Amino acid sequence: MTTVDETEALAVDALRGMRSTARDTGGGGLGWPVRPSDHEVEPTLYDGTAGVIPVLLEAWRHFGDDAYADTALRAARSLADAVDDHPDDSLYFGLTGIALVLRTVHRDLGSPAADAAADRALARVRSRFDGTRWSDLFELMGGNAGIGLGALLCGDAESALAALEPYARTAEPTAAGVTWQWCSGAEPRLHHLAHGALGIAYALTVVGAATAREDLVGLARAAVAEVVSRDEAGPEGFLVPHSDPQHRPDVVERHSYGWCHGPTGDAQVFRMLRHVLGEPSWSDLADRCWHTVTRSGLPRWMRPGFWDTNGRCCGTAGVLALACDRIAEQGDSPDFARTLVSDLASRATRDADDARWHNVEHRAAASELEPHTGWAMGNAGIARELLRHVRSSRGGDPRYAFAWPDQPAVRVTAPQATEPIRPADEDATS
């Protein structure tokens, strides 16, 4: 097993590798490309600069090194410069996610320029709403649900409600509840957090509870019931297909296990429902998700296409995030988390300067992919989870410096040996 000190050293190398790929964007700004070989920087939360800033804040808090804060401020300058031209409005791929990160930079580092840029970004998002949607996507990552959730976290409840109310008139009744068309013209109905009914239910619950809109919370309950009715692993486990009918017939695997389309992300929805609605019964579903995840065979890459990603979105780092949540909230054994960390350590490519991770696309002739730098598939997302695991293992605070919008902030029930936490760690749903 990888020791805590070795894990911290790996995180430092990953941070060094991430910082080495930054590009000067002019005017003192820094931006990150998706891959080191890319010519252009990418501003988004999913795989660009907005997703790098949270790990810089995490490292700043973890090590107390102001160089990370200075880098975050320079990164915020490039985000501010991108606001007026970026064409997408969504949480993960657009201006809503950029605004949320800029708000956090202002709150944590005192940057009025970042705050003003966040205001501009949100104004642009509001101006491009047609009354029903912003784009063909109609889910959490790229559509209304994420925009509504992000608007609420930025302090704009009115815009959050405007984004989510269309779900009431577009819901498709089913025998068990409701669902939605996740993308205009798409026949398959997706079920999980990233693009499916559970992601929509997440936003409906958080925004509905924060604004006393029981109708939205009720709609979320119906969406969750629809997904739960599709479980194929009960009563001990929980496993729902990626989509029905299958969205990608060329993909052999019908089930996924990660954050985006599997029980790792489903468990985060059930954690949120327990936190927001105060109903302990949701813990049973979260436990069933974890039962399935820990018995699936991951993090072993057992066959092509089963588990060949290290990253936060679809891979091992995302499972580590849930493992640490459960350790903090429920006192779970740390053994599986240590297994995940050791796997990440074994798959890292390291040299004298940095660490990085190659994911695999088994359908491509050159199956080993170029390392990514951002949150979703690369160093930023992995380093953030490694730092948190180190801190938790040493009895430190299990909360993040930046609470990801669709991962509920840990609610610690047992005494912790912690340092003071700044407001950025507070759960916006509490």
Side-chain angles (χ1 to χ4, degrees):
M1 285 291 177
T2 306
T3 69
V4 175
D5 288 348
E6 289 169 341
T7 303
E8 188 171 54
L10 177 61
V12 169
D13 287 348
L15 290 165
R16 187 182 300 113
M18 181 190 77
R19 294 173 78 183
S20 73
T21 63
R23 309 280 175 78
D24 190 329
T25 60
L30 284 178
W32 274 262
V34 176
R35 293 165 290 269
S37 65
D38 292 344
H39 295 295
E40 303 295 329
V41 298
E42 172 64 43
T44 62
L45 189 65
Y46 186 76
D47 54 10
T49 304
V52 168
I53 289 175
V55 74
L56 293 169
L57 296 176
E58 195 73 33
W60 175 51
R61 187 182 74 165
H62 186 93
F63 297 108
D65 184 348
D66 286 344
Y68 290 108
D70 293 339
T71 304
L73 285 169
R74 292 188 64 191
R77 291 190 194 114
S78 78
L79 287 188
D81 291 340
V83 161
D84 296 324
D85 297 318
H86 194 67
D88 190 285
D89 298 299
S90 66
L91 177 61
Y92 273 93
F93 313 125
L95 290 173
T96 300
I98 290 170
L100 178 58
V101 171
L102 287 167
R103 277 274 197 270
T104 302
V105 169
H106 172 59
R107 184 175 58 202
D108 283 11
L109 302 178
S111 172
D115 201 38
D119 286 340
R120 295 203 317 273
L122 293 170
R124 291 196 71 205
V125 173
R126 288 191 294 269
S127 73
R128 296 194 291 209
F129 183 43
D130 70 4
T132 300
R133 60 201 306 151
W134 279 266
S135 70
D136 286 340
L137 294 177
F138 199 57
E139 30 68 292
L140 179 75
M141 295 192 81
N144 286 46
I147 292 172
L149 184 60
L152 181 73
L153 295 173
C154 286
D156 187 353
E158 182 179 353
S159 293
L161 286 171
L164 293 178
E165 285 170 341
Y167 286 112
R169 61 178 183 269
T170 57
E172 301 172 355
T174 71
V178 298
T179 192
W180 291 270
Q181 186 180 60
W182 71 281
C183 182
S184 298
E187 178 187 1
R189 297 300 180 258
L190 275 57
H191 309 308
H192 299 279
L193 182 56
H195 298 297
L198 284 184
I200 296 170
Y202 192 109
L204 287 167
T205 301
V206 172
V207 174
T211 58
R213 287 287 298 270
E214 289 299 324
D215 58 325
L216 298 183
V217 176
L219 191 61
R221 289 182 183 273
V224 174
E226 156 65 22
V227 177
V228 170
S229 74
R230 296 176 180 273
D231 169 47
E232 299 176 1
E236 291 186 336
F238 188 84
L239 187 63
V240 172
H242 171 281
S243 49
D244 290 292
Q246 191 163 345
H247 175 51
R248 293 280 304 276
D250 59 313
V251 177
V252 175
E253 301 287 343
R254 178 155 162 73
H255 300 90
S256 300
Y257 292 86
W259 166 84
C260 49
H261 294 294
T264 300
D266 300 348
Q268 297 291 7
V269 178
F270 299 138
R271 284 185 61 233
M272 177 275 299
L273 289 165
R274 182 184 68 217
H275 289 183
V276 174
L277 302 182
E279 298 168 0
S281 58
W282 295 110
S283 294
D284 176 61
L285 282 165
D287 290 345
R288 286 166 54 186
C289 289
W290 193 236
H291 178 94
T292 293
V293 168
T294 56
R295 288 160 177 78
S296 66
L298 69 83
R300 298 192 307 277
W301 296 11
M302 298 189 298
R303 57 188 180 274
F306 167 72
W307 196 256
D308 45 19
T309 301
N310 302 289
R312 176 59 177 78
C313 176
C314 315
T316 304
V319 182
L320 178 59
L322 178 59
C324 290
D325 289 336
R326 292 182 60 88
I327 292 168
E329 291 183 339
Q330 299 174 225
D332 273 19
S333 166
D335 289 349
F336 193 68
R338 291 169 180 160
T339 297
L340 298 170
V341 169
S342 293
D343 186 78
L344 287 170
S346 71
R347 297 188 189 281
T349 299
R350 303 179 78 170
D351 54 34
D353 297 321
D354 60 33
R356 56 202 176 275
W357 285 264
H358 294 269
N359 298 319
V360 168
E361 173 47 78
H362 69 280
R363 292 165 295 181
S367 60
E368 189 173 82
L369 302 176
E370 182 181 358
H372 284 216
T373 60
W375 172 84
M377 302 293 180
N379 277 33
I382 295 171
R384 182 171 178 262
E385 301 308 333
L386 292 175
L387 288 177
R388 185 205 191 191
H389 180 262
V390 167
R391 193 167 60 252
S392 297
S393 298
R394 292 173 174 164
D397 198 301
R399 292 171 291 179
Y400 297 100
F402 171 90
W404 213 256
D406 44 49
Q407 181 184 353
V410 161
R411 295 190 175 183
V412 179
T413 56
Q416 299 281 321
T418 65
E419 58 189 284
I421 297 299
R422 294 183 297 278
D425 292 295
E426 294 299 328
D427 185 355
T429 66
S430 61

